Amino acid sequence: MPVVSRDQLVQLQQNPANIRNDHGKTSLTDALLATNGIISPRLAGKVRYLDSRPDEQLRGITMESSAISLHFSMLRRESEKEAQLQQEYLINLIDSPGHIDFSSEVSVASRLCDGAVVLVDAVEGVCSQTVTVLRETWIEHLQPILVINKIDRLVTELKMSPSEAYAHLSKILEQVNAVVGTFFQGERMEQDLRWRERIEEQVAAKTAKTHAKAEQDVSAKAAATTRPEGEGSADDKPATVGFVEKDDEDIYFAPEKNNVVFSSALDGWGFTVRQFATLYEKKLGIKKAALEKVLWGDYYLDPKTRRVLGHKHLKGRSLKPMFVQLVLENIWAVYDATTGRGNAKGSVAAFLPPCIPVTGAVAKAHWVLCSDPSLTQKILDSLNITLPTHVLRSKDPRSVLTSLFAAWLPLSTAILVSVVEYLPSPLVAQAARLPSIIHASPGAAHVDERLRAAMVESKSEKGQPVVAYVSKMIAVPESQLPHNRRRQGGLTAEEAREAGRRKRAEIAKAHALASAAEADGTGGLAEMMHDTSLGTSRNGIHEEASEPVVEDREHLIGFSRIYSGVLSVGDDVYILRPKFSPAYPDAHPQPIRMTVTALYLMMGRNLESLDSVPAGVVFGVAGLEGHILKSGTLCSQVAGGINLAGLNMGSQPIVRVALEPTNPGDLDKMIHGLRLLEQSDPSAEYEVLESGEHVIATAGELHLERCLKDLRERFAKCELQAGEPIVPYRETIVSASEMAPPKHKDLSRGTVLAVTASKQLTVRLNVRPLPAAVTEFLIENVSAIRRLQSQQRAKEEQERKKRRQQRQQQQQQQQQADDGEGLEGLIGGPNEQSTPSPEDDDGGEKQPRDLRTLSLADFRHGLQQAFSTAKTDKDLWNDVVERVVAFGPRRVGPNLLIDSTEAGLFRRFLRDAEHSESAIESSSSVVNASGKSNEPSSQDHETSSSQRAEPRSQKAAAASTGKGTVPEDVLDKISYAVQLATAQGPLSHEPMQGVCVSVEDVSIPPSVEHEDVGGTISVELMGALTSEAIKTVRDAVRQGFLDWSPRLLLAMYSCEIQASAEVLGKVYAVLTRRRGRILSESLKEGTAFFTIQAVMPVAESFGFSDEMRKRTSGGASPQLVFHGYDMLLDQDPFWVPSTDEEMEDLGSTADRENVAKRYMDAVRTRKGLFVSGRKLVERAERQKTLKR
């Protein structure tokens, strides 16, 4: 195979129409690399070139995404009338892992690509990871190609006949299409629901408008009598467009569309229906286009008339489908001729000579060495293929098999031709994908139109806006960088001459030292010192002493895709972090300006330097270290920029482990290594707990093992000790029938009347469980809540900045007026200060527009619907959506803080744009903690601020008759206390879930408010009051929590196991021992394998895969996916026998183990909390002291 040079690949980058960006699998990728001369064709499928890590080669799985650029040339015509032309293509291929622990790597690669090569095992069929990959392609709007791989196992292992294999392949194709169909159906139902909601809103608006007009007409009788009868009828009907049904014809996989490839990566062959249609076009006399449509499906070939018949026209004849007769039987014949499947099924075996009977252990062998050279020669003659003599005489049947298939159905040709013909170029893909991606980005309404057009049209001219997305950071050793790596082909002539000159100078210096030592008579000592300092090579030539070993430090390279413009080395661009929004470009964190220090062409294990990259190219960029944590956007402008970093990872870090260095002096090395690991791994997280523990969070057990290996060998380079895995839990409450009576008889269950120690603040709150539908809705929409929170913070920061600038301007004007400066000074000062004011004013005008674009209506409507499904206390949840103050913990959790005060003291979170603006403005005049007013010095602004704050002060006064007004800071501290309480529950200091906290009353005695002069609270008193409020409210929430029946929610894994009938009993035994729960068991049609669906606690999953493989002797292999938090144990950790029946059955000490309490005590012990009921000493005897 010809070796493709770097310059040729760089030249192909300039033609985006001939670029394809997709990702596939490792063994399949080897066949594609062989076409570019990177590896030998004989090693394809064995060397696993893109698995560059030693542990990847050892385990045989991919753990990190790797990218490589390939060159492909083919003859292609634009239309049937035109002649074929030689066209060259650049294919940027990303090999992503298939293990569920590394599914975040799939998410990272999907945003960079325009298409995907989805592999499905022909034996195992659709697995959980297959569904994950298909969902990722659907979400990212990628064009997929389906490759059904390992078809050779149907021949050699399962011993299927061609007809049985065809039925099996058809079922796999139906399963894959069923998964895609569920995605389409879910999206279609969501669109239909939104359309119906818009219709209802329009109808309601028109109805309200009609009623308003009718009331006006009744009040104005004269106008009613003169109003025409049919006036206004046009407004009563909503001007809506009917729902447009989306065609789902193009989303499914069908071999006749040439988006399905049948292959065997191990044997190096693959084909599409189009290849066999070209082969049989002349033999059958049927046009190629017509033959492509009938080679798959219920179509049959009449052997007499050579006509294609449908299933209805068979008339009782037993004909084989054309795919079996013309395709599969030929492939089966090759296997029979080369490997001699002794007990093969089907009609093909009848034409083969009888083979040696195979029994016992030999029958289980992968290959049966019984080939037929004469039949092999007939096949070669019919295909016009000539193999070398040494291949035909080889005793290894695989050599003949792979050589024959490489000449007849090369895998690389089938894959690359399908990629070129079916997958879109960046020009086409970006025009289809980017509008929806841009629309879903934060502040999409404020994206510059010129930048938007450049991205959608993939403009790669100089002067166009530059936008590149950095999906992840890759750690590369310094020795592997292009300028440090030794080039292939040896040294250049100039470098060789320079090396020779240095070597001759070293030898001359050594001889001079030796002669000088002999003249001084200290030859022995000098020789000894000379040998020690310079050393002697094996050839006797003295060499210079070896230099000290330089540490091979890791460099972080951004794995990127450029969408518009041209990025060159030395360009200055802005780094837009994931929280950036073009609506508030000056909000924290602000964009960082950086200089591109290097650009790289990703070539698997190696990097090649580039000077510039145009739009549509996948590349590596240097200079981002310390600026990007995991992902970000590179943009040439801040105003009107776009944030593409909103990517959801496929796997969540659920397994945490505390680390410490073996040598305490290596603590700094470990911390530095953990930070590097967090940046280079998409799903690894590093945090320092309050106890001082350094904790790393990973996606699973295998992911944790890889991270620890990287820390020891690459990043930290020191020995580490890992503690026991830390598994998260959640705490919740339920209304159980066996609950104890409320602790306060005068109050309802969950209600607490909390009074601070100084008796200066009284808070009445109620804690109750949320409906299950509401909790699920909040968990599913965490990203939406986080976005709303960031928008609210950005707006408030913008408003504060605007008011601060206005105050500075007014203070400067007042100072200048007092100093008696001239008119010129009065005009000059404000002009300088007001330079950014037009941007701020524009930003202020755009705020409502951005809120309408990212409206809360959908979120509020969905939350209201979730509350409407509550079966109990329906009256309590009627208007609760309007009274939501905050979510918790961390402002985004599945718990609610509700304002149930009569005056509505708290600021509401879920409100429309008008309420949001008025609330933000009114907060400017609330008294702060220092006792000073935030009002500006201008009289007009002071008047307007007092008018805006008037509605809220009237509410507080109306509801606090005989009480003091509650300061804003106290209300904020109450909200903060609820955040603390929901972050650390009373059971084991784990976050709460599904809890609603309603604040019913907050009161301060009037004497407290007027202790200071002017009716404001002093600074000392305010500080004591806020600190007491936090502790009192936090404890009150925990008391209300324990008033119900508490439960501990366990982190759960969804487990999918494929096993044969012989090992089912052992699989069930392992699952039961680890508290697993079986959900379903089904037999895969056409195979002897069962698919078992189960759930099991994460806390019991460590070592589960190894135990399962050991117990079943490798007959079962589980796949674990994080499933969420579930109440696997419906037990109260504090339950003790109380009734006579329970005492009689279980005794006073409850002989039955409370498993929930055991989990709770284990967490409390790990955190150093008090564990009730634990005996430190059991069965101890009195110590006896013996006298001597």
Side-chain angles (χ1 to χ4, degrees):
M1 294 295 175
V3 178
V4 181
S5 64
R6 165 194 167 277
D7 296 336
Q8 190 173 2
L9 296 176
V10 173
Q11 183 179 1
L12 290 174
Q13 291 179 352
Q14 307 302 321
N15 186 7
N18 287 1
I19 296 178
R20 301 293 186 271
N21 299 313
D22 65 324
H23 61 98
K25 294 298 296 175
T26 309
S27 298
L28 186 73
T29 306
D30 280 355
L32 308 183
L33 300 181
T35 61
N36 281 231
I38 299 176
I39 62 174
S40 171
R42 294 184 179 180
L43 298 178
K46 303 175 184 177
V47 68
R48 300 175 61 87
Y49 180 81
L50 292 183
D51 286 349
S52 56
R53 297 172 55 96
D55 48 357
E56 290 179 332
Q57 294 288 342
L58 181 63
R59 292 179 177 271
I61 61 174
T62 304
M63 298 183 183
E64 289 183 352
S65 296
S66 301
I68 195 168
S69 296
L70 301 176
H71 166 265
F72 181 61
S73 177
M74 64 177 291
L75 292 173
R76 193 178 183 187
R77 57 164 62 98
E78 299 297 334
S79 62
E80 296 182 358
K81 297 181 181 180
E82 297 181 1
Q84 292 184 345
L85 299 176
Q86 186 80 16
Q87 294 190 7
E88 296 181 340
Y89 295 89
L90 174 66
I91 298 176
N92 295 318
L93 185 66
I94 301 177
D95 177 33
S96 56
H99 196 279
I100 197 67
D101 279 8
F102 309 105
S103 57
S104 59
E105 297 280 353
V106 180
S107 304
V108 163
S110 60
R111 179 59 64 90
L112 303 180
C113 299
D114 300 321
V117 179
V118 182
L119 266 72
V120 177
D121 194 313
V123 176
E124 297 180 0
V126 178
C127 303
S128 58
Q129 185 65 1
T130 309
V131 179
T132 303
V133 173
L134 290 173
R135 183 183 294 109
E136 202 66 42
T137 61
W138 180 267
I139 294 174
E140 292 294 332
H141 304 282
L142 301 181
Q143 192 78 12
I145 290 178
L146 179 65
V147 177
I148 303 180
N149 195 27
K150 300 184 181 180
I151 297 182
D152 58 294
R153 296 182 61 189
L154 305 181
V155 186
T156 59
E157 292 184 17
L158 300 183
K159 307 294 182 181
M160 287 185 177
S161 67
S163 299
E164 294 172 344
Y166 170 70
H168 183 70
L169 295 175
S170 300
K171 292 175 182 177
I172 292 178
L173 193 60
E174 291 175 0
Q175 293 173 0
V176 175
N177 285 331
V179 174
V180 178
T182 56
F183 300 152
F184 172 79
Q185 189 66 21
E187 184 177 291
R188 192 262 175 210
M189 293 177 63
E190 185 178 357
Q191 293 175 353
D192 180 68
L193 178 62
R194 292 180 179 177
W195 177 78
R196 293 180 184 277
E197 290 175 355
R198 287 197 300 267
I199 294 295
E200 294 175 358
E201 290 176 0
Q202 292 179 3
V203 171
K206 296 298 180 182
T207 304
K209 186 176 181 180
T210 304
H211 290 328
K213 288 184 177 180
E215 292 177 358
Q216 292 177 0
D217 294 340
V218 171
S219 60
K221 296 182 179 180
T225 56
T226 59
R227 180 172 179 260
E229 184 177 355
E231 186 178 344
S233 59
D235 294 337
D236 297 339
K237 298 180 181 180
T240 58
V241 182
F243 182 74
V244 180
E245 289 285 352
K246 182 181 178 181
D247 188 13
D248 62 342
E249 182 180 357
D250 296 333
I251 67 173
Y252 296 112
F253 297 101
E256 59 269 18
K257 297 179 182 178
N258 292 291
N259 59 357
V260 179
V261 180
F262 305 91
S263 71
S264 170
L266 182 65
D267 295 337
W269 60 265
F271 65 89
T272 60
V273 168
R274 177 170 295 180
Q275 290 179 256
F276 277 91
T278 304
L279 181 64
Y280 287 108
E281 181 180 10
K282 295 181 180 180
K283 293 183 178 181
L284 298 179
I286 303 175
K287 292 184 178 181
K288 176 182 175 182
L291 199 56
E292 288 179 8
K293 299 179 180 179
V294 298
L295 267 181
W296 177 268
D298 294 335
Y299 297 99
Y300 308 86
L301 181 65
D302 191 339
K304 296 181 180 180
T305 61
R306 289 197 173 186
R307 295 180 59 186
V308 179
L309 305 176
H311 185 71
K312 297 180 180 179
H313 301 85
L314 287 180
K315 298 179 180 180
R317 291 183 292 178
S318 58
L319 297 179
K320 299 177 182 178
M322 294 181 64
F323 190 79
V324 175
Q325 185 178 358
L326 302 180
V327 179
L328 293 184
E329 286 189 351
N330 290 322
I331 294 176
W332 260 242
V334 173
Y335 276 96
D336 290 332
T338 55
T339 64
R341 300 180 310 121
N343 43 358
K345 301 178 183 179
S347 59
V348 180
F351 298 97
L352 299 176
C355 293
I356 302 173
V358 181
T359 58
V362 183
K364 298 181 181 179
H366 187 74
W367 296 103
V368 181
L369 302 180
C370 182
S371 59
D372 188 352
S374 61
L375 185 57
T376 302
Q377 190 61 43
K378 289 181 180 179
I379 294 176
L380 293 174
D381 294 339
S382 63
L383 296 175
N384 295 325
I385 296 175
T386 303
L387 296 181
T389 306
H390 70 277
V391 174
L392 294 174
R393 294 179 179 177
S394 175
K395 297 181 179 180
D396 182 11
R398 283 187 51 80
S399 177
V400 181
L401 177 72
T402 55
S403 300
L404 195 157
F405 274 127
W408 179 33
L409 300 173
L411 176 61
S412 58
T413 302
I415 297 296
L416 293 176
V417 170
S418 300
V419 167
V420 168
E421 293 185 347
Y422 191 76
L423 297 187
S425 65
L427 295 174
V428 179
Q430 291 187 197
R433 294 180 59 210
L434 287 187
S436 59
I437 294 177
I438 295 174
H439 179 72
S441 64
H446 301 273
V447 176
D448 187 11
E449 291 298 332
R450 180 169 173 266
L451 185 144
R452 186 193 301 262
M455 292 180 62
V456 173
E457 299 174 12
S458 186
K459 295 182 179 179
S460 57
E461 298 85 7
K462 285 284 188 180
Q464 294 292 337
V466 176
V467 177
Y469 171 62
V470 182
S471 65
K472 73 167 187 174
M473 305 295 289
I474 302 175
V476 180
E478 188 172 7
S479 60
Q480 297 297 324
L481 295 178
H483 58 273
N484 294 330
R485 192 177 65 249
R486 193 180 183 89
R487 292 191 301 272
Q488 297 179 358
L491 301 176
T492 63
E494 185 64 28
E495 292 174 343
R497 285 193 292 269
E498 180 65 21
R501 185 188 62 79
R502 289 197 303 267
K503 180 61 67 177
R504 287 193 297 271
E506 292 172 1
I507 294 175
K509 183 178 179 181
H511 284 302
L513 291 174
S515 59
E518 291 177 359
D520 294 340
T522 57
L525 180 60
E527 184 177 359
M528 185 191 308
M529 296 176 61
H530 176 64
D531 292 340
T532 303
S533 60
L534 296 179
T536 305
S537 65
R538 294 181 181 180
N539 299 328
I541 301 176
H542 297 287
E543 297 179 353
E544 188 177 354
S546 60
E547 299 180 358
V549 179
V550 180
E551 184 180 357
D552 194 9
R553 61 184 296 265
E554 300 284 339
H555 291 265
L556 294 178
I557 306 298
F559 192 24
S560 314
R561 158 79 182 268
I562 182 169
Y563 288 98
S564 66
V566 178
L567 186 64
S568 303
V569 176
D571 288 352
D572 290 336
V573 293
Y574 292 95
I575 300 176
L576 309 182
R577 299 180 181 179
K579 293 184 179 180
F580 172 81
S581 175
Y584 315 103
D586 297 330
H588 182 77
Q590 294 184 352
I592 301 174
R593 189 178 182 87
M594 57 85 65
T595 301
V596 178
T597 58
L599 297 173
Y600 301 107
L601 177 68
M602 314 292 287
M603 293 299 294
R605 305 176 183 181
N606 301 323
L607 299 175
E608 299 292 341
S609 297
L610 296 175
D611 296 328
S612 62
V613 288
V617 175
V618 177
F619 65 100
V621 56
L624 306 178
E625 190 169 354
H627 301 308
I628 290 183
L629 179 60
K630 292 184 180 295
S631 63
T633 307
L634 303 182
C635 191
S636 57
Q637 62 189 55
V638 175
I642 183 171
N643 180 11
L644 299 175
L647 188 66
N648 293 326
M649 293 300 171
S651 58
Q652 301 178 5
I654 192 66
V655 179
R656 300 187 299 168
V657 168
L659 302 177
E660 62 178 0
T662 304
N663 182 9
D666 295 334
L667 180 60
D668 293 338
K669 289 184 179 180
M670 187 191 74
I671 295 175
H672 178 70
L674 285 171
R675 289 173 179 169
L676 281 177
L677 176 65
E678 184 182 21
Q679 287 182 299
S680 61
D681 195 302
S683 60
E685 295 181 0
Y686 163 60
E687 62 177 331
V688 181
L689 302 183
E690 295 179 357
S691 59
E693 293 178 295
H694 298 271
V695 174
I696 179 175
T698 59
E701 192 174 2
L702 182 58
H703 186 209
L704 173 63
E705 184 178 343
R706 193 202 73 179
C707 290
L708 294 178
K709 181 179 177 63
D710 286 345
L711 280 173
R712 293 188 178 103
E713 298 179 359
R714 297 179 58 188
F715 301 130
K717 294 183 179 180
C718 64
E719 289 299 324
L720 303 174
Q721 292 180 353
E724 292 295 327
I726 303 173
V727 179
Y729 295 86
R730 293 294 183 267
E731 301 179 16
T732 189
I733 50 177
V734 296
S735 178
S737 58
E738 301 177 355
M739 290 188 299
K743 297 180 180 178
H744 302 281
K745 298 181 180 179
D746 299 335
L747 302 176
S748 60
R749 184 179 295 277
T751 302
V752 180
L753 186 62
V755 182
T756 59
S758 60
K759 311 295 183 182
Q760 296 173 351
L761 177 66
T762 303
V763 180
R764 178 190 175 101
L765 55 85
N766 178 267
V767 180
R768 64 176 56 250
L770 283 173
V774 177
T775 306
E776 293 177 2
F777 177 82
L778 295 178
I779 293 175
E780 293 173 357
N781 294 274
V782 170
S783 58
I785 300 174
R786 184 177 289 109
R787 176 174 294 184
L788 294 176
Q789 289 282 1
S790 62
Q791 290 175 359
Q792 185 179 17
R793 286 195 300 267
K795 286 194 297 290
E796 292 177 354
E797 184 178 352
Q798 196 87 353
E799 288 292 334
R800 286 194 297 269
K801 181 179 178 181
K802 183 178 179 180
R803 290 193 297 269
R804 192 183 307 113
Q805 291 178 352
Q806 291 176 352
R807 287 196 300 271
Q808 291 175 356
Q809 294 173 9
Q810 291 160 2
Q811 291 173 1
Q812 186 174 0
Q813 290 178 2
Q814 186 67 27
Q815 183 180 1
Q816 291 174 352
D818 294 341
D819 294 341
E821 293 184 357
L823 182 61
E824 183 179 357
L826 287 174
I827 297 175
N831 284 342
E832 294 175 2
Q833 292 293 332
S834 62
T835 301
S837 62
E839 296 179 2
D840 295 339
D841 292 339
D842 292 344
E845 292 176 0
K846 291 179 182 179
Q847 286 176 16
R849 207 177 311 151
D850 182 54
L851 280 175
R852 286 195 294 269
T853 303
L854 300 175
S855 175
L856 303 177
D858 292 339
F859 184 83
R860 294 173 60 181
H861 181 72
L863 186 59
Q864 187 63 50
Q865 282 189 334
F867 274 112
S868 63
T869 60
K871 298 180 180 180
T872 59
D873 300 331
K874 291 187 176 181
D875 297 337
L876 182 66
W877 309 115
N878 281 338
D879 59 342
V880 70
V881 176
E882 300 294 334
R883 295 184 283 113
V884 173
V885 176
F887 304 88
R890 297 184 177 181
R891 306 286 179 182
V892 293
N895 305 286
L896 292 181
L897 173 61
I898 305 299
D899 182 8
S900 298
T901 59
E902 297 180 2
L905 298 176
F906 292 86
R907 182 182 301 172
R908 310 294 174 85
F909 178 74
L910 297 179
R911 59 188 183 277
D912 53 13
E914 290 77 14
H915 293 166
S916 174
E917 185 177 2
S918 63
I920 293 174
E921 291 178 352
S922 64
S923 64
S924 62
S925 62
V926 178
V927 178
N928 58 17
S930 62
K932 297 180 180 180
S933 176
N934 290 331
E935 299 173 1
S937 58
S938 174
Q939 185 68 25
D940 297 336
H941 189 71
E942 180 179 1
T943 304
S944 60
S945 298
S946 61
Q947 290 174 355
R948 285 193 296 267
E950 184 178 358
R952 178 159 183 164
S953 61
Q954 288 177 355
K955 282 183 180 182
S960 304
T961 304
K963 303 177 182 179
T965 305
V966 182
E968 179 77 10
D969 285 345
V970 175
L971 298 177
D972 290 341
K973 295 305 180 290
I974 292 176
S975 178
Y976 177 68
V978 174
Q979 299 293 329
L980 294 179
T982 54
Q984 293 184 342
L987 299 184
S988 54
H989 282 199
E990 293 289 328
M992 295 183 186
Q993 177 174 306
V995 178
C996 175
V997 181
S998 301
V999 180
E1000 299 177 352
D1001 186 31
V1002 180
S1003 61
I1004 295 179
S1007 58
V1008 176
E1009 181 184 5
H1010 299 285
E1011 282 188 6
D1012 197 7
V1013 180
T1016 60
I1017 302 177
S1018 63
V1019 177
E1020 295 79 5
L1021 185 58
M1022 177 62 73
L1025 190 61
T1026 53
S1027 61
E1028 287 182 349
I1030 294 176
K1031 182 179 184 302
T1032 302
V1033 175
R1034 183 194 62 186
D1035 295 342
V1037 173
R1038 292 177 177 175
Q1039 291 177 15
F1041 182 95
L1042 295 176
D1043 211 7
W1044 298 83
S1045 182
R1047 293 292 187 272
L1048 200 64
L1049 300 180
L1050 277 66
M1052 303 296 291
Y1053 271 142
S1054 174
C1055 179
E1056 179 178 330
I1057 305 173
Q1058 289 192 354
S1060 59
E1062 292 80 7
V1063 297
L1064 277 182
K1066 298 178 180 178
V1067 170
Y1068 288 156
V1070 176
L1071 282 172
T1072 304
R1073 185 162 50 252
R1074 293 178 176 266
R1075 301 190 181 279
R1077 186 172 68 234
I1078 308 296
L1079 301 180
S1080 64
E1081 173 194 322
S1082 59
L1083 176 66
K1084 283 204 167 187
E1085 297 183 9
T1087 66
F1089 295 99
F1090 286 85
T1091 300
I1092 304 168
Q1093 298 285 346
V1095 292
M1096 64 179 302
V1098 177
E1100 304 288 347
S1101 66
F1102 301 103
F1104 171 70
S1105 299
D1106 293 338
E1107 183 182 1
M1108 181 67 72
R1109 283 191 287 267
K1110 290 177 181 178
R1111 296 287 183 181
T1112 61
S1113 300
S1117 180
Q1119 285 189 339
L1120 301 176
V1121 185
F1122 180 62
H1123 184 64
Y1125 296 91
D1126 191 10
M1127 194 185 302
L1128 182 66
L1129 305 171
D1130 191 8
Q1131 292 180 336
D1132 187 343
F1134 302 110
W1135 178 86
V1136 292
S1138 57
T1139 63
D1140 295 338
E1141 296 179 356
E1142 293 173 350
M1143 296 282 288
E1144 183 178 354
D1145 293 340
L1146 303 174
S1148 59
T1149 58
D1151 297 337
R1152 185 181 60 187
E1153 182 188 14
N1154 192 332
V1155 182
K1157 187 177 187 307
R1158 178 164 61 85
Y1159 282 126
M1160 183 186 72
D1161 291 345
V1163 177
R1164 294 184 69 90
T1165 302
R1166 178 177 57 81
K1167 293 184 176 182
L1169 303 175
F1170 175 73
V1171 179
S1172 62
R1174 184 179 61 176
K1175 296 182 180 180
L1176 299 179
V1177 179
E1178 293 184 1
R1179 298 185 180 90
E1181 297 181 356
R1182 182 181 299 176
Q1183 183 180 1
K1184 296 181 180 179
T1185 56
L1186 302 178
K1187 296 181 180 180
R1188 293 182 180 177

